[in-house]
Amino acid sequence: MTEPTELIYMSARQVSEYLDLNEKKVYSMANDRILPATKITGKWLFPKILIDRWVMDSCHSGMLSDRMHITGSDDPLLSMLVARMMSQVGKSELISYSSTGSRLGLDLLSRGYADVCTLHWGSVEERGVRHPALLQGYANHQQWVMVHGYTRKQGLMMRSDMHHRCQELDKISQQSWRWVARQAGAGSQQHLEQWLMKQGATFEQLNSNLVAQSERELAGYIARNDADIGFGCQSVALESGLSFVPLVTESFDFVMPQGIYFRRQLQRLFNLLAEPQSQQLAATLGGYDLTGCGKIIWNGQA
């Protein structure tokens, strides 16, 4: 007698029986990217191993999960704290962080490829409007919550020999300096374009041939004299030995499905941010204010 073949992929009917759900509900959850699935030639297929993990992640609001992946906006403080957490948990858990920019990070979150997305799409004063407006563009935003991380200073980075030439802000966009752009959908690029608009200019008018995928990549171009100026956060400018002209205080926030908020790794991260050592690290890096970290500031169902 041959052994039964282990089930790898399930149909919508099989998932409905397995989870005791109406088959129409299964299709709806697949279309909304709630259930892990892929569509091949018009037919939904559900990897059984991912269905089982989805069920496990749903237990106790996700507190039983042994991993957490953060994506979205780039930030040196967050990168250092995630590395510190991984050194503490060793090989028993996985906590990862990949910077993709705000918009791509939200795309990945909406498709279930990430647990948490970081974003900085508006100043502290505009956050209550800009951040929710961005999130509401995603079909499953009603399942999300947004939690405040911290504020950061954003502005212009340049080499120290150029600092004195960047004091007249209304004349900067008129110079022939070599600019470094960030990728489309990055919060820093959004800030730069908003600032240029207030100056009566557009990014297309600038001399720019380089696109950086992260804050540190942008700073590296300037430090190596491959470019003259770019837009980013104060902490990256300081660690790269660059001068900095602050232009905006932004809100750096965390977005996640509601159940993920209770995941132990995320709560550990927020607790770590509240510790005196992290406060000191933020002060050393420069430009951060960790007041109010971990506070829920938006609920998609509200």
Side-chain angles (χ1 to χ4, degrees):
M1 178 183 297
T2 59
E3 294 294 327
T5 303
E6 183 180 358
L7 191 61
I8 299 177
Y9 293 101
M10 305 171 72
S11 66
R13 179 182 58 79
Q14 289 171 316
V15 172
S16 69
E17 295 173 353
Y18 189 57
L19 300 181
D20 194 22
L21 293 173
N22 182 281
E23 191 169 338
K24 289 184 178 180
K25 181 65 174 177
V26 172
Y27 282 119
S28 174
M29 294 173 74
N31 279 309
D32 290 341
R33 297 288 181 178
I34 299 173
L35 283 176
T38 184
K39 183 178 283 188
I40 299 177
T41 63
K43 179 181 179 182
W44 282 109
L45 290 177
F46 301 81
K48 185 177 183 298
I49 189 172
L50 295 184
I51 292 294
D52 289 337
R53 176 166 287 280
W54 178 82
V55 173
M56 181 61 74
D57 285 350
S58 298
C59 294
H60 301 284
S61 300
M63 287 188 288
L64 296 182
S65 179
D66 59 356
R67 66 198 63 200
M68 181 177 71
H69 180 57
I70 304 172
T71 188
S73 301
D74 186 23
D75 182 65
L77 175 61
L78 178 59
S79 180
M80 295 172 73
L81 292 181
V82 168
R84 185 172 298 178
M85 289 175 64
M86 270 306 302
S87 70
Q88 294 171 354
V89 302
K91 59 184 179 181
S92 62
E93 299 181 29
L94 176 62
I95 306 163
S96 59
Y97 172 42
S98 58
S99 57
T100 61
S102 298
R103 276 196 176 277
L104 179 54
L106 289 171
D107 289 337
L108 293 170
L109 182 69
S110 70
R111 293 174 176 270
Y113 295 132
D115 301 305
V116 181
C117 175
T118 58
L119 76 157
H120 57 115
W121 207 248
S123 66
V124 172
E125 297 79 13
E126 299 173 327
R127 177 190 67 188
V129 175
R130 288 190 177 275
H131 284 187
L134 179 62
L135 301 183
Q136 288 164 2
Y138 294 85
N140 46 355
H141 74 274
Q142 291 183 334
Q143 304 162 23
W144 295 350
V145 293
M146 181 166 60
V147 179
H148 180 56
Y150 32 83
T151 63
R152 307 190 306 181
K153 296 290 186 183
Q154 278 268 354
L156 299 173
M157 300 185 198
M158 73 291 298
R159 292 181 304 281
S160 57
D161 61 291
M162 287 188 58
H163 187 263
H164 69 285
R165 303 169 62 188
C166 296
Q167 301 310 302
E168 296 183 82
L169 296 179
D170 57 337
K171 296 182 180 179
I172 289 178
S173 63
Q174 303 168 18
Q175 307 299 321
S176 59
W177 296 332
R178 300 167 298 167
W179 286 77
V180 187
R182 286 295 307 280
Q183 76 270 35
S188 295
Q189 188 67 15
Q190 161 81 358
H191 281 311
L192 173 57
E193 293 177 4
Q194 288 291 321
W195 177 74
L196 287 170
M197 185 172 65
K198 294 176 182 178
Q199 307 300 313
T202 65
F203 184 79
E204 289 70 26
Q205 295 172 324
L206 303 180
N207 175 22
S208 177
N209 295 313
L210 294 172
V211 177
Q213 301 298 314
S214 71
E215 299 257 356
R216 284 169 167 155
E217 183 182 343
L218 184 148
Y221 282 126
I222 300 171
R224 292 190 301 270
N225 200 23
D226 296 323
D228 300 314
I229 191 168
F231 204 98
C233 66
Q234 180 177 347
S235 59
V236 172
L238 295 181
E239 75 175 12
S240 303
L242 301 178
S243 289
F244 181 77
V245 176
L247 294 178
V248 62
T249 300
E250 64 175 7
S251 188
F252 189 89
D253 297 325
F254 296 74
V255 181
M256 72 233 44
Q258 294 173 12
I260 299 297
Y261 174 75
F262 298 100
R263 187 168 290 185
R264 63 173 179 268
Q265 294 92 347
L266 184 62
Q267 290 302 314
R268 187 185 300 151
L269 175 61
F270 290 144
N271 289 336
L272 182 60
L273 279 163
E275 292 181 358
Q277 297 92 326
S278 299
Q279 301 276 345
Q280 181 58 50
L281 175 60
T284 301
L285 292 175
Y288 291 99
D289 183 348
L290 274 56
T291 304
C293 177
K295 179 182 179 182
I296 295 178
I297 54 178
W298 179 83
N299 186 330
Q301 294 184 344

